[in-house]
Amino acid sequence: MSRGLDWFDAFREVAPEWAIVLLGLVTQLGDVWFLGVVVGTVYWVSTTRRDEAAAVFGLLLAGLSLITGLKHVFALPRPERVLVEVGALPETVHPLYQATATATGYGFPSGHALMTTIVYVSLAEYLSVGTRRQRYLAAAGLVTAVCLSRVGLGVHYLADVVAGVAIGLVFLLLVWRFLDRYPGHRGTLGFGLATGLAAVALVTSNVDLDAVLLFGTSLGAFAGWQLALLARGLDARRGPIRTSRPLAARAVVVVLSVATLVALIGYYWPVLLFAGSGVLGLLAAAFVTAPVLSRLERVDSLRGRSPSRSR
């Protein structure tokens, strides 16, 4: 089945061998590890807009589950062609080639295209660096560069990346309407959506490895954010927990979520996949909670510093 245009072959004839390295480096801008570093860094340093950063973090996890489920629903293969045969490259760049310019699994829609759209456009919407126009132009440029690199490397058809961008934009338009309706709960809604889509991906992917790990990570991030909000509420003296329904509800959610992750580790330990999902969940919870706890007034006072709380 052809989902692309024939210009790839013409491009391959004129492209120099070093183009594979350049495109491979560009495509890293849409890799999960790079997007995770970007969003995680923004979340940790955004002391004044932590809730918006938490929402972007949640959308990152939600997008990963969305693409995992969609790829298994369509189950369409990747192109059977490459820009440059690995044997034509110097041996010194073979590891770089394998790490940056190859791909496995299903090809439609493009995960790089969908994820870069969700992450970079969300950052353009919620960050305050530069003007809104500048942020959106930068996001459009990054998404376009990554999409072209995927097609140029021969790991996706043109239709794959177009569909990825389109699905990402539709997803954002729908989710933003929901988040804007409840601006004070953006983080909770983002992580909650990620957990729900991870559960759906478990079913549609027939308990695929990525879906299992994403479920644990999303549930842990959701629990971590609830714990952070609980600590923030107590620091603002909205407690004790037993007299506040919102705080009590968050406490119950945290206990149930963490108990689920611990159960995955303990009960399923012989099954390393499920145990790993639980471990990732606890790590995600700690990652989400830590920067919020470090900014609370009571923690600062215990350290002998002047109070400084992020809202």
Side-chain angles (χ1 to χ4, degrees):
M1 178 179 180
S2 177
R3 306 188 303 275
L5 299 177
D6 294 334
W7 62 268
F8 174 84
D9 293 329
F11 174 70
R12 182 171 57 180
E13 291 180 2
V14 299
E17 293 181 355
W18 54 261
I20 193 75
V21 177
L22 176 62
L23 293 175
L25 293 175
V26 171
T27 205
Q28 296 302 295
L29 298 174
D31 267 19
V32 174
W33 74 268
F34 185 83
L35 297 176
V37 169
V38 170
V39 173
T41 301
V42 170
Y43 175 78
W44 269 66
V45 303
S46 296
T47 57
T48 59
R49 306 195 68 175
R50 183 96 61 193
D51 289 26
E52 288 84 354
V56 177
F57 199 160
L59 293 180
L60 165 67
L61 294 174
L64 289 172
S65 291
L66 177 63
I67 192 62
T68 299
L70 288 175
K71 280 182 177 291
H72 283 83
V73 168
F74 290 104
L76 294 176
R78 295 180 183 272
E80 295 182 356
R81 49 190 178 177
V82 294
L83 180 61
V84 177
E85 295 293 342
V86 65
L89 299 172
E91 292 187 6
T92 55
V93 301
H94 285 187
L96 178 63
Y97 173 85
Q98 294 295 335
T100 63
T102 60
T104 59
Y106 297 126
F108 183 90
S110 166
H112 279 67
L114 187 145
M115 291 308 304
T116 52
T117 300
I118 290 177
V119 171
Y120 291 131
V121 176
S122 292
L123 290 175
E125 177 69 16
Y126 290 121
L127 289 185
S128 56
V129 179
T131 66
R132 192 168 187 268
R133 176 185 175 85
Q134 290 172 337
R135 295 196 301 271
Y136 268 92
L137 286 175
L142 288 170
V143 172
T144 301
V146 171
C147 289
L148 291 177
S149 74
R150 302 305 285 170
V151 178
L153 289 170
V155 295
H156 279 297
Y157 294 105
L158 182 62
D160 299 347
V161 297
V162 171
V165 172
I167 294 171
L169 290 175
V170 171
F171 174 78
L172 288 178
L173 290 176
L174 294 175
V175 171
W176 281 350
R177 293 186 64 180
F178 190 52
L179 297 181
D180 291 342
R181 181 176 296 183
Y182 306 98
H185 303 280
R186 286 194 177 108
T188 296
L189 294 174
F191 288 124
L193 176 63
T195 305
L197 285 177
V200 173
L202 281 173
V203 178
T204 57
S205 67
N206 195 25
V207 196
D208 178 73
L209 167 63
D210 291 338
V212 174
L213 297 179
L214 280 169
F215 177 77
T217 304
S218 299
L219 181 61
F222 177 73
W225 181 245
Q226 298 311 302
L227 179 58
L229 294 179
L230 177 63
R232 185 189 289 178
L234 293 174
D235 188 63
R237 295 171 176 80
R238 298 171 190 165
I241 294 176
R242 64 177 179 275
T243 63
S244 172
R245 287 186 178 182
L247 294 183
R250 294 191 192 282
V252 170
V253 169
V254 170
V255 170
L256 292 178
S257 299
V258 172
T260 300
L261 295 172
V262 172
L264 284 173
I265 298 172
Y267 185 79
Y268 287 103
W269 184 251
V271 184
L272 295 181
L273 173 59
F274 290 98
S277 179
V279 171
L280 280 178
L282 294 179
L283 291 175
F287 182 87
V288 170
T289 308
V292 178
L293 294 181
S294 67
R295 300 288 298 181
L296 298 181
E297 283 185 358
R298 294 181 183 180
V299 175
D300 285 338
S301 63
L302 289 175
R303 294 175 177 174
R305 298 203 303 259
S306 60
S308 176
R309 180 172 72 249
S310 171
R311 293 193 178 274

